[in-house]
Amino acid sequence: MLKNMERSTRQRQAIRQVMQELNRPLSPSEVLEAARHKVPGLGIATVYRTLKGLVEEGSAIPVELPGEAPRYELSGKKHHHHFHCTYCGKVFELEGCPGDFSFMAPQGFKTERHEIVLYGRCTQCLNPHP
Amino acid sequence: MLKNMERSTRQRQAIRQVMQELNRPLSPSEVLEAARHKVPGLGIATVYRTLKGLVEEGSAIPVELPGEAPRYELSGKKHHHHFHCTYCGKVFELEGCPGDFSFMAPQGFKTERHEIVLYGRCTQCLNPHP
DNA sequence: GACAGAATGATAATGAGTTATCATTATGAA
DNA sequence: TTCATAATGATAACTCATTATCATTCTGTC
């Protein structure tokens, strides 16, 4: 007897695969575009529904960046930050973190967490003809 | 002969004052609320128009934080980051910056700028009864 | 294979934030 | 003070991301 996200459909398989393969935070429309290569008729509503389900079951988490609609990445990764290519708009995962930034907060403030976003050009956009 | 933001109205004066006095990134509705203490009948449309004008003339800049609508702060400050109180929702300016984060980017990526956001509790929210 | 009902896809509806409209008011040059 | 017109405030309209609706299709159990 099943509960949430109970049936294994081609659409859901494709969406999960795309998120594993691309391995970076994806917007719903990026997921749609990539997953349509596997399931041509895929609709955006299914993408939203599936992403919501993945977040609810804990296997994906939303990634919020300044001025952008949420993207989604698979969960289970350790503390990390992101790089946003200002040319192609893709967001990449960074490894590691320089550490604790509590010292930046004013006296009397209690820092609980932090986010770092780097902006610039990714390799593909710097070297368009490899 | 005047150009943009040409007339000095009570509304515009109040909005500029509020931004100077509070000295932190303010959302349009925060500006409205604060500026209404000076100009009671102030409307939200005027706030949006004035903020847009301030940005166009270069005296204010939009501050984008993850998952939030843009706030606005007066320009001319040096490189800095922000603290977002998760309790009252206010955003505060931080002084200084630990430095360069290019080393976090993958091989072949070119980092041009970075953003840091700290999350936690501000003094007021930690000490409600001073 | 048959069947209950979960899932899908197209699209209408929603919601939050922002902008446009327009009649009225207020600024500032003459 | 007068007057052209910029600015205001109320609110309708718009934008864009997301969700709801619903007829149809598909999954998985029997």
Side-chain angles (χ1 to χ4, degrees), chain A residues 75-118:
Chain A
S75 54
K77 306 178 175 177
K78 58 182 179 181
H79 179 64
H80 65 277
H81 299 294
H82 297 99
F83 183 102
H84 191 171
C85 177
T86 53
Y87 192 72
C88 66
K90 287 179 189 161
V91 174
F92 300 88
E93 249 178 59
L94 301 178
E95 289 180 14
C97 169
D100 180 34
F101 292 91
S102 316
F103 69 89
M104 288 178 69
Q107 281 293 333
F109 282 48
K110 184 182 169 203
T111 302
E112 289 161 348
R113 64 191 187 86
H114 65 266
E115 296 291 345
I116 301 177
V117 186
L118 305 189

Side-chain angles (χ1 to χ4, degrees), chain A residues 66 115-119, chain B residues 64 80-82 113-117:
Chain A
E115 296 291 345
I116 301 177
V117 186
L118 305 189
Y119 295 90
Chain B
E64 307 258 26
H80 65 277
H81 299 293
H82 298 98
R113 64 192 188 85
H114 64 266
E115 296 290 345
I116 302 176
V117 186

Side-chain angles (χ1 to χ4, degrees), chain B residues 7-10 28 45 48-49 69-70:
Chain B
R7 295 185 180 178
S8 176
T9 65
R10 288 179 307 130
Y48 276 104
R49 274 187 297 241

Side-chain angles (χ1 to χ4, degrees), chain B:
Chain B
M1 171 265 209
L2 299 159
K3 277 275 180 95
N4 229 15
M5 302 280 289
E6 24 219 293
R7 295 185 180 178
S8 176
T9 65
R10 288 179 307 130
Q11 289 84 345
R12 288 178 182 170
Q13 288 166 15
I15 291 170
R16 274 187 236 252
Q17 275 177 31
V18 156
M19 295 186 74
Q20 284 178 349
E21 289 165 11
L22 296 186
N23 195 38
R24 55 186 180 80
L26 300 174
S27 67
S29 53
E30 281 178 311
V31 171
L32 179 66
E33 137 105 56
R36 269 189 172 161
H37 294 149
K38 300 172 191 286
V39 181
L42 182 64
I44 188 66
T46 297
V47 173
Y48 276 104
R49 274 187 297 241
T50 302
L51 289 174
K52 193 177 181 186
L54 291 173
V55 170
E56 279 169 2
E57 77 177 26
S59 46
I61 56 173
V63 173
E64 307 258 26
L65 296 189
E68 304 273 320
R71 289 170 170 79
Y72 297 87
E73 67 183 11
L74 293 180
S75 55
K77 306 178 175 177
K78 58 182 181 181
H79 179 65
H80 65 277
H81 299 293
H82 298 98
F83 184 102
H84 192 172
C85 177
T86 54
Y87 192 72
C88 66
K90 287 179 190 161
V91 174
F92 300 89
E93 249 178 59
L94 300 178
E95 289 181 12
C97 171
D100 180 35
F101 292 91
S102 315
F103 69 89
M104 289 177 69
Q107 281 293 332
F109 282 49
K110 184 183 167 200
T111 301
E112 288 160 349
R113 64 192 188 85
H114 64 266
E115 296 290 345
I116 302 176
V117 186
L118 305 190
Y119 295 90
R121 295 279 183 111
C122 70
T123 303
Q124 286 95 1
C125 289
L126 286 170
N127 304 3
H129 315 296

Side-chain angles (χ1 to χ4, degrees), chain A residues 32-43:
Chain A
L32 178 66
E33 136 104 56
R36 269 188 172 161
H37 294 148
K38 300 173 190 289
V39 181
L42 182 63

Side-chain angles (χ1 to χ4, degrees), chain A residues 11-31:
Chain A
Q11 290 84 344
R12 288 177 181 170
Q13 289 167 16
I15 290 170
R16 274 185 234 252
Q17 275 177 32
V18 155
M19 294 185 74
Q20 284 178 349
E21 290 166 9
L22 297 186
N23 194 39
R24 55 185 179 81
L26 299 174
S27 67
S29 54
E30 281 179 312
V31 171

